[in-house]
Each structure stands twice: as structure tokens, then as C-alpha cells.
Amino acid sequence: MAHTHPHPENHLTSSAMLQDIVIGLSDGLTVPFALAAGLSGAVSSSNLVITAGLAEIVAGSIAMGLGGYLAGRTEVEHYDAELAREYREVQEVPHIERAEVDELLAEIGLSAATRKLAVAELTADPDQWVRFMMKYELGLEQPDPKQAPKSAATISIAYALGGLIPLSAYFLTATPTQGLLWSAVITLVCLLLFGYLKSRLTGQPPLWGALKMAGTGALAAAAAFWVAKLIAS
Amino acid sequence: MAHTHPHPENHLTSSAMLQDIVIGLSDGLTVPFALAAGLSGAVSSSNLVITAGLAEIVAGSIAMGLGGYLAGRTEVEHYDAELAREYREVQEVPHIERAEVDELLAEIGLSAATRKLAVAELTADPDQWVRFMMKYELGLEQPDPKQAPKSAATISIAYALGGLIPLSAYFLTATPTQGLLWSAVITLVCLLLFGYLKSRLTGQPPLWGALKMAGTGALAAAAAFWVAKLIAS
């Protein structure tokens, strides 16, 4: 029973890859699907829909992957900078940092007498003190520097694979209208399944999760179709 | 000096809108730019580039906005479910929850004697006890339920506005090749400026931030151009 709540840090590490796959796949299934659907209402060549769809998949997976990689690197740099600052402050202005520890302990409901003991013990070791400030004052967990490139690659690949699913229908049909029909069927089934599984994994109501995911895709596709039709007509 | 570290919750609330604008604008400037650039190498009509670009902007802003809104709602539901569970556990298995408090206090470096006092004081009030478990055990901050719709709207609008910047060049030029030239100039200048400002705001090196943002856009556009050209030839 004491282990029904895994520590958030462990939890994040173990499911980071799954989270990245979810991010990449859900966007990959949605945006290229909606773009291809939109163009289907405006052009008469499946080849054009495929060209635009593949260009979008490449652009999106680079933007998401590289963007995610750079954001991860920035997070590591930010953590290191804050860590260095806390070590400096603990050395240079220990009375202020001690008052901050005292304030955090008062917030959780400790009496002045207990706080006096606790502050003395907690601040006896600088490493322990800084670790406490990082986690409970700043709410920062140490990011894994290897996570950023792994995350970037996973999101990129998941986005591209997700995007190829709606696009595959246009390869296998003769006209954009037929392509759209099959693309919508395949993609909505995938979004329903995927939303269902994702919600099961994160402990959310799975049917509602399935509907949310498919609804977002359908709405984006309908809006793109309507806008493209309006311009083309 | 005690206020140089704002509490992360306050910090997040005040800059949440700015963060959302950054997310929307950076993606909006990048993906529609790259898609339009890709198509410019494959089609001869600016109208087609504009149609695909607008369809992408609509699809992307709905996917990001609605996706962000639903993710925000899920976060609120998740917090409420965990809160209810902690209240239940504090009532039903107080000895286990008390042992968890003791373990967390041992982790931050308190002695057995101080922990005994602290556990007694901290668990005297159930609200205070649960608040402690939410923050220190689960690492969860209470999300603002009004944040989700506001965030969704901000990201959507920022994405659409960002996307219209690279696309505007195709409205004002005669051929896709001319459009691409001007689109690249306008967008890269915007990405450099925007990366610079974003890095200034978040305390990162601004020149490096400008280069990262423009580099991602340029790479995504070059890859999309190359892929579209390959298919069309």
C-alpha cells in the first residue's frame, strides 16, 4: 500500500519514452490527416495531397524533434545554473537561505520549536540543504542530460509514423475524394484506439479519452477542409 | 534577496500566457513556413501554396489549441482524483500515511527525534497533511481550472498569427519561387528576433537562442523542400 504512489521522479523516468511516443503519435495522426483532408477538397490530384502531406510530415517531425531536443538541453542548462546559484547563496547568504527553509517548514505546519531543530539538521550538510531548496523551493527535479536526444528522436519518429497512417490512404486510391474517405476511416479508428490506450495507461476514463482524441482530429480535418474549399472555389 | 527566487507556482501563473504565446508563435513560424517552402519547390501555383498553408494553419491551431485545452482539463481531473485519494488514505490508513511522511522527512535529513515531533504536528490537521503529501510526495501543484481554456485560446491564436507571417509572402508575390525567397527572409528575421527575445526573457544566452530558433526553421524548410522536390520530379 505504501508503494501505490510511486515517487514522481521514478515514474517520469520509466514512462518518459511512452509519453514521447504519445506526444509524437497524437500530433502525427492529427495534423497531417487534417492537412491532407483539407487539400482533398481543393485539388484534383492525389499526388499533390501526398507531396504536401510528406512535406508537412518532414517539417513537423524536424520542428518537434529538434525543438524538443533544444528545449531539453535548455532545461539541463537551467537546472545547472539554478544549482550553482543555490550553492553560492548557501555559502554567501546562509542566514537568508536558512530563513527560506524555515518559511517552507512553517508552511507545512511545523511549530517554531520543531523548525529550529529541523533547520539546524537540514542545513548541517550543504549538499542536503541545496537538494532541499532545489526540490521544494524551486520545484526542480534534476533532468537527465541523455533524455533530450532520446526524447527528440522518439517524438520525431512517432510523428512521422503517425503521419504516414492518414497519408497511406492517398497512395492506395485513385482520387483525393476516395483517399479522403479511406484516410478518415483509418485515422479515426487509429485515434479512437490510441486515445483509448493512452487513457488506460494514464488512468483516465478510456472511452472519453478515445472520443476526445478522435474529436480533435475530426474537428481539425473538417475546419481545414472547409478553409481550403473556400479558397479554391 | 529573499525574493530573487519567486515561488514556482507564482512564477508559472504570471508567465503562463507568455509561455503559451512562445509555444504557439515558435511552432506557427516554423511548420507552415517549412510546408510552404516545401511546396514551392514542387508546384507552380502560389494559390496552391496558400491553400495548403492556410489548411495547415487551421489544422495546426485547432490541434494545438484543443489538444492543449483537453490536456489542461485532464491535469485538473488528475489533481482532483489524487487529492480525493490522499484524503481517503489519510482517513483509512493513517499509520501508512504517517510512515510516508516520516520517510520524506528522513530523506531531507531530519533526525528520528525531530521527525517524531514534526510528524505529530504536520498530521494534526488533515488539510495540512494532505497538502504536504500532494506537494512533497507526489510533486503536484494545484492547477488553475481557468488556465486550460485561456491557454488553449492563446496557443491557437499565436500559432495562427505566427503561421500567417511566412504565408504572407506568397500573397504578395507572383510565383512560388519569389514567394519562397521573401518568405524565407521575413521568417528567418522573425525567428532570429523571436529566439533572441525568448532567450532574454528566460535568462538564456540570447544570440545562441536566436540561432537555435532560426536554425530549426531553416532545417525544417530545407528538408521539406528537398522531399517535395524529390516526389514532384
Side-chain angles (χ1 to χ4, degrees), chain A residues 20 63-80 141-153 155, chain B residues 198 204 208 212:
Chain A
D20 289 336
M64 283 188 92
L66 193 54
Y69 169 70
L70 294 170
R73 283 290 305 268
T74 302
E75 199 191 331
V76 171
E77 283 158 23
H78 177 66
Y79 184 89
D80 292 345
E141 299 274 358
Q142 180 153 31
D144 175 3
K146 287 182 212 136
Q147 190 53 47
K150 218 163 51 182
S151 230
I155 291 179
Chain B
K198 180 188 160 189
Q204 304 297 316
W208 176 225
K212 281 197 288 191

Side-chain angles (χ1 to χ4, degrees), chain A residues 80-101:
Chain A
D80 292 345
E82 291 289 333
L83 191 69
R85 178 155 97 172
E86 284 296 342
Y87 270 107
R88 212 165 49 235
E89 288 182 356
V90 156
Q91 273 228 314
E92 288 171 7
V93 285
H95 56 291
I96 292 173
E97 293 296 300
R98 224 172 254 123
E100 289 182 2
V101 173

